[in-house]
Amino acid sequence: MGYTIPLFDVNFDEKEAQAAYNTIKSGWVSAGSKCEELENQFKEQWKVKHALAVANCTIALHMSCILAGFKPGDEVLCPSLTFAASANCIRYVGAKPVFCDLVSLENMTIDPKDIEKKITKNTKGIVVVHFAGFPCDMDAVMSIAKKYNLKVIEDACHGPLSEYKGKKLGTIGDFGCFSFFSNKNISTGEGGMLITNNDEYAERARLIRSHGMTTMSFQRASGHATSYDIVDLGYNFRFDDIRASIALEQLKKLPADYKRRAEVRKRYVNNLSACERIAIPFKDNTEYVSNYILPVIIKDSTKEFRDTIRTKLAEKGIQTSVHYPAIHLFSVFKEEGVSLPVTEYITDNEITLPMYAKLTDEQIDFICKELIDLLK
């Protein structure tokens, strides 16, 4: 089905095309100077000591679990309302994801109270997800982590440059992970970034990223090294200069993009607030955020009713989505006795509306009118 108003729009123009072309013409396209430049930009803008460009955010999460020392028999707490990678990364190292509920329909982030309820002698860490780019209660999370000596991984793929009390998301826990997937705020098709302030983690991460090798191909090709040793069990988690050059252009666009996204969100909130059937998550947020997506939740509803509303919006040319199916209900994760009532209600009744800087006021008004009319 063709949509008059799509769910998202890639913020590309000739700048990304020229950047990729220039890199191709340079004669070096794998991990090299552009990756280093992108890492330096992250270190500067996020004010962190270390940034490592990787092939995708799933890898950044996987590496974080390795570096945190999670192993078979360990438990790691995480939300269920997120993309599967946030839990898969825990399984990759043999640990067990323990799913926690969300705060409320108005705050779709992990509930610190449920975190503390589910801590056992086997708990070794917490993965938090800053849903839609809005921050979790990191004061509470970090207080719990300190109390029980837990590592904290921030899945910040929805929120590059989003803030919590003046701190950039991804800089508060032990690790911050970002995505450059095609529909993210920084888009390169695939790609990711791992940031940390821990020197030991960063040193080992650089080894793990490239087969445990002590030098990279770019260092040897540019004459800074002539040989290498392999000192750790590593992987091929590398990023490449073509996509790094695109990410650099995308990063430049974030301030203007975020300014317009904030205006788009404000118009949505103003239009939808009067409808008693709609809960608008993070409605009262005052932090600087990415506004990655625009989720709304239908009150007093069912999955079937929500799906009918989505179908009727599609018939009007409005593309919507659902973020996300609950991970704990997938066949590969399903366990007896796991009940997350807030998560399960949101899963069945959330609708993700179009959100991007190019949305016009007229389009936003049309989307809101159609949704409200359908709910009457």
Side-chain angles (χ1 to χ4, degrees), residues 101 326 328-329 338-349:
D101 213 349
H328 75 285
L329 298 179
V338 178
S339 176
L340 305 174
V342 179
T343 296
E344 289 164 20
Y345 185 86
I346 290 174
T347 292
D348 287 347
N349 297 286

Side-chain angles (χ1 to χ4, degrees), residues 97-310:
V98 175
F99 296 107
C100 298
D101 213 349
L102 307 178
V103 177
S104 66
L105 304 192
E106 289 74 27
N107 184 344
M108 297 166 66
T109 62
I110 193 167
D111 185 356
K113 293 178 182 176
D114 204 35
I115 288 175
E116 192 148 25
K117 283 180 186 176
K118 292 177 176 174
I119 290 174
T120 72
K121 61 182 176 58
N122 296 319
T123 306
K124 295 297 187 294
I126 309 168
V127 175
V128 300
V129 177
H130 301 297
F131 193 92
F134 294 88
C136 300
D137 183 349
M138 291 306 293
D139 283 349
V141 169
M142 296 309 294
S143 176
I144 293 168
K146 183 178 181 180
K147 180 178 178 181
Y148 295 97
N149 192 28
L150 308 177
K151 302 298 183 186
V152 176
I153 299 171
E154 293 182 73
D155 182 339
C157 70
H158 289 191
L161 295 179
S162 288
E163 295 182 357
Y164 174 78
K165 298 185 177 181
K167 296 179 181 178
K168 296 287 189 291
L169 300 188
T171 68
I172 304 166
D174 296 280
F175 310 94
C177 303
F178 298 88
S179 172
F180 306 151
F181 186 61
S182 60
N183 61 5
K184 293 299 189 290
N185 298 93
I186 301 172
S187 174
T188 64
E190 290 283 0
M193 187 71 71
L194 170 66
I195 63 174
T196 183
N197 281 309
N198 185 292
D199 295 340
E200 292 182 9
Y201 291 155
E203 182 179 359
R204 188 170 182 221
R206 291 188 183 93
L207 293 171
I208 292 171
R209 179 175 59 177
S210 189
H211 301 288
M213 298 163 62
T214 52
T215 63
M216 296 273 282
S217 297
F218 183 69
Q219 293 171 298
R220 297 192 297 277
S222 56
H224 296 294
T226 57
S227 62
Y228 64 87
D229 190 10
I230 294 179
V231 297
D232 200 346
L233 177 63
Y235 306 82
N236 182 356
F237 285 166
R238 299 184 298 266
F239 200 38
D240 63 80
D241 270 16
I242 296 175
R243 287 178 294 173
S245 67
I246 295 171
L248 285 163
E249 295 301 323
Q250 288 275 286
L251 198 53
K252 295 174 188 175
K253 293 179 176 180
L254 286 189
D257 184 69
Y258 284 7
K259 181 180 179 181
R260 175 55 189 160
R261 281 175 179 262
E263 294 168 353
V264 169
R265 177 175 176 79
K266 183 177 180 180
R267 195 170 189 93
Y268 265 122
V269 171
N270 288 341
N271 284 349
L272 296 176
S273 290
C275 182
E276 294 180 356
R277 292 291 305 277
I278 298 174
I280 306 172
F282 314 108
K283 179 181 174 182
D284 299 322
N285 176 79
T286 58
E287 303 276 7
Y288 179 76
V289 296
S290 63
N291 283 304
Y292 166 57
I293 54 174
L294 199 292
V296 296
I297 301 160
I298 306 173
K299 299 178 183 178
D300 303 316
S301 176
T302 64
K303 183 178 186 295
E304 292 72 25
F305 180 72
R306 186 275 310 274
D307 291 347
T308 298
I309 296 296
R310 288 192 63 214

Side-chain angles (χ1 to χ4, degrees), residues 38 59 202 206 255:
L38 180 62
I59 283 170
R206 291 188 183 93

